[in-house]
Amino acid sequence: MNNFKFYSPTEFIFGKGTQKKVGKSISQYGGSKVLLIYGGQSAEKSGLIKEVTDSLDDAGIGYVIMKGIQPNPTDDRVYEGITLTKENNVDFILAVGGGSVIDTAKAIALGAMYGGDFWDFYTRKAVPESALPVGVVLTIPAAGSEGSAASVITKKEGLIKISVGNDMLRPKFAIMNPELTMSLPWFQTACGITDMLCHIFERYFSNTPAQLVNAYSEAIMGDIMDQALSLRLDGNNYDARADIMWAGTIAHNGLCGVGKEEDWATHRIEHEVSALYNVAHGAGLACIAPAWMTFVAKRNPDTVWRFAINVMSVNPDGLDTEQIIAEGISLLKDFYHDLGLTTSLRELIGKEPDIDAMVKSLERNMGKTLGSYVPLSMEDCREIYQLAM
């Protein structure tokens, strides 16, 4: 295990009815005027937004509303939020939703405290020095942004989808009521499960020896898969919803990567798919992750072999390493299919993907190599896209 620093300052407020505590939580962190950000009409129709605004009113906290944040959030909404924040003297950003809303909130929190273009932080032209505090009411367990230091935004001009990471972006608090996830369409639940699993993959597939971290990462992945299949049968299973919600957080708050060199090739390869074709990120990962495993196992089979046995429960008796790995990847695909997802990019997009365009954009955004479990050239990434077809 390598030297590490683990920093996770977010206060997690978990359980039934916790969304009614949001006003009190903001007051505790010094907020007096809030930019309230959320997505579509579902949060309004369910009564959640009224519960939130009632709580803000009870706490004497003013607010400005910005709604309509879409999946794969874009820079134009960030600029809009920065303007609203500055014009209304907002001192706290509240995100009600999932990863897209939270990532937008984080980008606004950075941009509102910066004299230049917030996009400078994503292109590494500038390093964040300050940010407004962010709070979260989580409604979609998936991205883990409620506890992470990361934000992913797509620049509409050029369809550039990249991220920034900085500990000051970790939310001050995250209110997490599993009941709020019961009304989600199954597709959103399935994509969230795929995303959180892949957040662990990016840390689990590593060349760093870390037995303890690997062991609990395997346990978390196994539980996610078990509870996912339970939810497929009964979407109102509170205990399964609770496990999935908390798993999404610890999959991406850094706990599964302490002391390890992380990979992140799968996410970066997929970002080009969702940027170009505006598909759900988790749905894209269901195509890319098995293809990536198939490719890297040829050069570095050890952890893929361990994953097949310890997570996918392949019985190794009588099988050689290649057979064990192939069975493990096949079972992972079967799991995605059981969730109702495809593992074919062609099926996901509905046409032949433009691999040349994705590879060109990937090289522009990431350089000539990416990943660490197996360092990948752009030609390697091209092969992974082809394997995902």
Side-chain angles (χ1 to χ4, degrees):
M1 184 181 290
N2 297 332
N3 292 357
F4 69 87
K5 180 187 76 170
F6 178 62
Y7 181 68
S8 183
T10 304
E11 178 186 9
F12 298 102
I13 305 164
F14 195 100
K16 299 177 181 179
T18 48
Q19 68 274 15
K20 298 176 183 179
K21 301 178 180 180
V22 65
K24 180 180 178 181
S25 295
I26 291 173
S27 293
Q28 288 176 341
Y29 287 98
S32 61
K33 185 70 173 288
V34 168
L35 179 65
L36 170 58
I37 308 174
Y38 59 96
Q41 296 179 346
S42 60
E44 294 175 337
K45 290 180 178 179
S46 69
L48 174 59
I49 296 303
K50 187 176 187 308
E51 286 185 306
V52 169
T53 55
D54 284 350
S55 181
L56 295 176
D57 288 338
D58 290 345
I61 296 171
Y63 54 88
V64 180
I65 289 177
M66 175 178 160
K67 61 182 179 179
I69 304 301
Q70 299 296 315
N72 298 314
T74 51
D75 61 328
D76 57 324
R77 300 310 308 275
V78 177
Y79 292 121
E80 178 186 341
I82 292 170
T83 299
L84 281 172
T85 298
K86 291 181 176 180
E87 287 179 349
N88 292 278
N89 296 316
V90 164
D91 58 13
F92 200 99
I93 313 292
L94 177 64
V96 179
S100 296
V101 176
I102 303 167
D103 283 3
T104 302
K106 290 177 177 180
I108 294 169
L110 280 177
M113 300 294 285
Y114 179 56
D117 187 340
F118 89 93
W119 193 247
D120 291 346
F121 300 120
Y122 290 75
T123 58
R124 310 301 189 266
K125 291 180 180 177
V127 177
E129 295 182 356
S130 61
L132 288 176
V134 174
V136 173
V137 178
L138 185 66
T139 64
I140 304 174
S145 194
E146 68 278 0
S148 81
S151 166
V152 181
I153 299 292
T154 299
K155 188 175 183 63
K156 293 181 78 172
E157 183 180 353
L159 296 176
I160 303 170
K161 185 175 182 178
I162 49 179
S163 65
V164 65
N166 191 286
D167 278 336
M168 67 178 62
L169 293 180
R170 293 183 186 270
K172 296 298 183 183
F173 66 83
I175 288 173
M176 304 172 66
N177 177 0
E179 293 176 313
L180 300 179
T181 71
M182 289 181 180
S183 61
L184 285 174
W186 174 252
F187 179 72
Q188 279 188 294
T189 299
C191 288
I193 287 163
T194 303
D195 193 13
M196 64 183 71
L197 277 172
C198 201
H199 286 153
I200 302 178
F201 292 167
E202 303 288 13
R203 296 161 165 107
Y204 176 77
F205 290 99
S206 170
N207 297 312
T208 310
Q211 177 63 28
L212 173 63
V213 182
N214 287 339
Y216 65 66
S217 295
E218 289 168 352
I220 297 167
M221 287 187 281
D223 186 67
I224 291 171
M225 291 183 179
D226 288 345
Q227 301 295 5
L229 297 178
S230 295
L231 284 179
R232 190 71 162 125
L233 297 174
D234 178 10
N236 292 323
N237 184 329
Y238 178 86
D239 290 331
R241 289 280 180 188
D243 267 25
I244 290 294
M245 192 172 225
W246 186 236
T249 299
I250 59 178
H252 199 35
N253 73 343
L255 186 66
C256 292
V258 290
K260 301 184 71 175
E261 182 180 22
E262 300 178 6
D263 189 79
W264 294 100
T266 303
H267 265 72
R268 287 161 182 158
I269 292 169
E270 193 290 321
H271 280 167
E272 304 306 329
V273 179
S274 50
L276 185 59
Y277 296 104
N278 199 31
V279 297
H281 175 53
L285 288 172
C287 302
I288 297 297
W292 176 87
M293 288 187 197
T294 300
F295 182 87
V296 299
K298 299 173 187 176
R299 300 185 186 175
N300 190 355
D302 292 355
T303 307
V304 191
W305 172 87
R306 173 174 174 152
F307 172 81
I309 295 172
N310 291 355
V311 180
M312 301 312 302
S313 301
V314 174
N315 184 346
D317 292 348
L319 302 178
D320 62 24
T321 297
E322 289 185 4
Q323 291 171 321
I324 291 168
I325 288 172
E327 178 67 11
I329 295 172
S330 177
L331 288 171
L332 178 63
K333 287 184 175 182
D334 288 345
F335 171 74
Y336 291 146
H337 297 157
D338 287 343
L339 295 184
L341 301 174
T342 181
T343 53
S344 162
L345 282 179
R346 189 181 289 110
E347 290 183 12
L348 176 65
I349 295 167
K351 61 182 179 180
E352 201 74 15
D354 189 340
I355 293 178
D356 287 341
M358 291 190 291
V359 171
K360 182 179 179 180
S361 180
L362 184 64
E363 182 173 358
R364 174 195 63 193
N365 294 335
M366 294 293 128
K368 295 195 177 290
T369 61
L370 70 158
S372 61
Y373 180 69
V374 171
L376 303 173
S377 68
M378 289 301 107
E379 284 307 306
D380 295 335
C381 295
R382 179 184 300 276
E383 185 172 339
I384 290 169
Y385 283 128
Q386 291 168 341
L387 287 168
M389 296 288 280

